[in-house]
């Protein structure tokens, strides 16, 4: 049997590139297969059953591509599917992103906080457990319906208009922003433009990267490869691939 050498990583589109960017800083000698499921984007408004089916199919495909570990680079998919996947594939380590709300508790507890995430993430049981455990009692949860979608499409005017309409009323009232969807770090600059320069962002990706390295080390799975990154889009769109690599190496 061929040795398992790849790390599989997936999202509902190219948003997970913000996670891979952090991972390759910590693990440059691994090979990666990134699956951008643009055909099913957005995940945020799908039912639990739909998400489970979609994620299960992606995982099976990645396992057929010799993946030794899988990173779920989508908060929505993590919130809804990681327990199911861990149970179904106990031999594979799953590393799953989640909104970095604990970091607010640990580093910026006193400050008014906005958690931006999809409807699916905010309504999920997994996120609610996290939220109630670390609640700073100064937090607003904001379901950003449709935002991942317009970031995925890359239309800057629409992004600015959306953020102005949804965040405008929070200007001057918020100091911490939890980026609870892997697409949102791509619009940090635009969020600051609306909320103000002093906003502090919380993103789970850097800690996920460190955790992934620990998990690989513990399981004796660390690789010594040449850092190849193989991109697959579920619609086969070349424009996605170009944008993905532009962001990754920017
Ligand atoms: N990047 C996904 C997340 O982190 C976007 C979800 C969606 O497709 O709605 O939640």
């Amino acid at each position: 049997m061929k040795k398992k050498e790849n790390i599989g990583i997936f999202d509902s589109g190219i948003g997970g590139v913000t996670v891979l960017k952090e991972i390759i800083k910590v693990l440059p000698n691994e090979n990666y297969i990134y699956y951008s499921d643009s055909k099913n984007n957005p995940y945020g408004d799908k039912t639990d059953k739909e998400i489970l089916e979609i994620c299960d199919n992606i995982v099976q495909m990645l396992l057929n591509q010799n993946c030794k570990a899988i990173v779920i680079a989508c908060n929505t998919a993590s919130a809804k599917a990681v327990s199911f996947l861990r149970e179904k594939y106990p031999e594979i380590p799953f590393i799953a992103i989640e909104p970095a709300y604990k970091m607010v508790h640990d580093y910026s507890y006193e400050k008014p906080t906005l958690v931006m995430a999809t409807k699916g993430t905010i309504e999920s049981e997994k996120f609610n457990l996290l939220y109630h455990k670390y609640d700073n009692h100064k937090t607003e949860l904001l379901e950003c319906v449709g935002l991942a979608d317009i970031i995925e499409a890359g239309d800057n005017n629409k992004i600015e208009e959306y953020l102005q309409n949804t965040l405008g009323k929070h200007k001057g009232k918020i100091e911490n922003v939890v980026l609870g969807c892997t697409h949102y770090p791509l619009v940090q600059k635009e969020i600051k433009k609306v909320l103000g320069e002093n906003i502090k962002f919380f993103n789970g990706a850097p800690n996920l990267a460190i955790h992934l390295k620990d998990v690989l080390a513990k399981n004796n799975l660390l690789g010594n490869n040449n850092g190849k990154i193989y991109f697959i889009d579920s619609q086969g769109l070349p424009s996605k691939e170009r944008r993905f690599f532009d962001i990754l190496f920017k």
Side-chain angles (χ1 to χ4, degrees):
M1 210 174 87
K2 217 167 138 195
K3 198 166 172 248
K4 292 197 162 131
E5 276 302 350
N6 300 315
I7 295 175
I9 168 165
F10 72 93
D11 180 33
S12 64
I14 58 162
V17 69
T18 60
V19 179
L20 184 57
K21 219 177 158 91
E22 298 301 326
I23 293 176
I24 60 178
K25 289 182 196 163
V26 177
L27 290 163
N29 299 323
E30 298 288 344
N31 290 341
Y32 299 92
I33 300 179
Y34 183 98
Y35 188 78
S36 147
D37 190 13
S38 68
K39 193 168 76 185
N40 290 308
N41 176 277
Y43 285 180
D45 318 328
K46 293 203 161 37
T47 64
D48 291 10
K49 188 165 170 279
E50 285 170 318
I51 298 277
L52 292 184
E53 263 174 42
I54 289 170
C55 292
D56 196 12
N57 288 335
I58 295 173
V59 166
Q60 285 179 33
M61 184 277 294
L62 290 171
L63 294 180
N64 287 334
Q65 305 284 331
N66 286 317
C67 287
K68 59 186 177 184
I70 292 182
V71 176
I72 308 179
C74 171
N75 290 268
T76 316
S78 297
K80 298 199 172 202
V82 70
S83 308
F84 164 81
L85 294 169
R86 284 187 175 134
E87 206 169 298
K88 181 157 180 191
Y89 304 97
E91 70 292 355
I92 294 291
F94 285 94
I95 293 82
I97 189 92
E98 67 177 8
Y101 191 60
K102 180 178 184 297
M103 280 173 76
V104 168
H105 175 274
D106 292 350
Y107 301 111
S108 197
Y109 187 83
E110 296 302 326
K111 307 266 171 72
T113 302
L114 189 65
V115 177
M116 297 174 67
T118 67
K119 181 168 157 27
T121 298
I122 289 191
E123 288 178 352
S124 68
E125 193 188 337
K126 190 165 180 285
F127 173 70
N128 275 279
L129 288 173
L130 177 83
Y131 172 55
H132 290 297
K133 188 164 173 193
Y134 297 109
D135 192 357
N136 72 349
H137 305 285
K138 284 182 189 160
T139 295
E140 177 154 344
L141 305 180
L142 185 63
E143 293 180 1
C144 298
V145 177
L147 180 57
D149 224 1
I150 55 175
I151 297 173
E152 184 71 24
D155 180 333
N156 287 340
N157 289 337
K158 276 201 182 145
I159 292 169
E160 287 190 12
E161 193 186 318
Y162 183 102
L163 293 174
Q164 191 56 53
N165 289 341
T166 44
L167 301 181
K169 63 174 185 286
H170 296 289
K171 190 178 167 66
K173 296 184 193 136
I174 290 293
E175 291 180 60
N176 300 325
V177 172
V178 176
L179 299 165
C181 165
T182 55
H183 282 72
Y184 302 167
L186 298 175
V187 295
Q188 267 179 226
K189 228 176 41 221
E190 291 77 4
I191 295 174
K192 270 196 170 173
K193 238 183 180 173
V194 181
L195 289 179
E197 274 307 306
N198 294 331
I199 291 300
K200 205 162 164 210
F201 287 111
F202 293 83
N203 174 2
N207 283 344
L208 176 143
I210 294 164
H211 178 56
L212 171 62
K213 188 175 180 182
D214 287 349
V215 170
L216 293 180
K218 270 196 202 111
N219 288 281
N220 207 14
L221 288 173
L222 281 170
N224 190 10
N225 298 302
N226 47 8
K228 251 192 282 161
I229 298 168
Y230 186 64
F231 177 89
I232 308 168
D233 179 72
S234 54
Q235 296 183 97
L237 297 173
S239 57
K240 293 271 171 208
E241 180 161 2
R242 270 196 305 275
R243 200 155 153 242
F244 172 85
F245 282 109
D246 277 356
I247 298 169
L248 190 62
F249 296 122
K250 192 164 66 179

